[in-house]
Amino acid sequence: MDGKLSGASPYPTRPDLSEEERIARAQAAFERLSTRRSCRAFAGTPVPRAVIEYAIRAAGTAPSGANHQPWHFAVIGSPEKRRAIREAAEAEERRFYGAEDTAPKASEEWLAALDPLGTDAAKPFLETAPWLIVCFAQRKGGIAEDGAAQNYYVTESVGLACGMLIATLHEAGLATLTHTPSPMGFLRDICGRPEWEKPLMIVVAGHPARHATVPEHALRKKPLDTIASWL
């Protein structure tokens, strides 16, 4: 046996680069991605559907457990559905922040951690941005999406796909925001998805509003010697 799998294809050809060229490409990718910032004020400027389609195609190339690709991206462009999502999300957010004359669901420590970002229960971007991409994790289904086959490493796989989705949208010059209201079951109902799919996040995509700002706290990034160790 030579170790080759039956029916396997050759590994894709990689560019023949010098070490200097590889470093330059990695640096260029880092420099582009390092300008990514979460945006909470979007313009209503339209974005071509093709941009979102290619970003989702890129996300669909992510590695996944047993190659089951346990994700589904429900793309919301309808103003009516965007409004419905905003209304449902803000209802959950008011409970989270304690804005309905009740104790907040979030702990004091959690709310204190969010305070430097200036977030609150109002989420107008869910209605203003032209596209909402609701990312679902499929607990079962497999490649055939038969609703029966077990999927593996679902959260990890969908997390990788969402990262590639956001990176591609950033590369296309769009602003993004990940929004995670809790609980998120209403997203399954609005998007008409089956019970074995769990909504993980909403990726808001569009152009930033002219008045959009980034909190100083969000500019703080851990340095390389903190986030990496070399053994």
Side-chain angles (χ1 to χ4, degrees), residues 198-212:
K198 178 183 178 181
L200 283 190
M201 71 180 73
I202 304 171
V203 175
V204 186
H207 294 285
R210 289 186 177 181
H211 65 275

Side-chain angles (χ1 to χ4, degrees), residues 199-230:
L200 283 190
M201 71 180 73
I202 304 171
V203 175
V204 186
H207 294 285
R210 289 186 177 181
H211 65 275
T213 59
V214 179
E216 289 294 325
H217 179 71
L219 299 176
R220 297 175 58 192
K221 302 299 179 184
K222 295 180 181 180
L224 179 62
D225 60 3
T226 299
I227 65 174
S229 56
W230 309 86

Side-chain angles (χ1 to χ4, degrees), residues 26 43 64 190:
S64 62
I190 291 175

Side-chain angles (χ1 to χ4, degrees), residues 69-120:
Q69 303 157 56
W71 43 64
H72 182 86
F73 301 95
V75 185
I76 310 299
S78 157
E80 293 76 19
K81 286 192 178 292
R82 297 203 312 271
R83 184 176 306 113
I85 288 175
R86 177 187 179 180
E87 291 173 353
E90 287 186 338
E92 297 297 347
E93 292 294 301
R94 286 192 292 272
R95 285 186 276 271
F96 177 86
Y97 285 97
E100 293 188 332
D101 299 324
T102 59
K105 288 174 57 178
S107 66
E108 290 185 10
E109 183 180 14
W110 193 349
L111 292 173
L114 290 172
D115 188 60
L117 296 174
T119 60
D120 57 26

Side-chain angles (χ1 to χ4, degrees), residues 148-228:
Q150 180 66 45
N151 288 335
Y152 306 96
Y153 297 104
V154 174
T155 302
E156 296 87 345
S157 300
V158 180
L160 289 165
C162 288
M164 294 178 68
L165 173 71
I166 292 167
T168 305
L169 292 169
H170 179 72
E171 188 73 7
L174 296 182
T176 57
L177 174 70
T178 55
H179 181 53
T180 53
S182 179
M184 289 190 276
F186 67 88
L187 290 170
R188 187 188 303 110
D189 297 334
I190 291 175
C191 297
R193 301 306 302 169
E195 56 85 19
W196 59 81
E197 292 187 1
K198 178 183 178 181
L200 283 190
M201 71 180 73
I202 304 171
V203 175
V204 186
H207 294 285
R210 289 186 177 181
H211 65 275
T213 59
V214 179
E216 289 294 325
H217 179 71
L219 299 176
R220 297 175 58 192
K221 302 299 179 184
K222 295 180 181 180
L224 179 62
D225 60 3
T226 299
I227 65 174

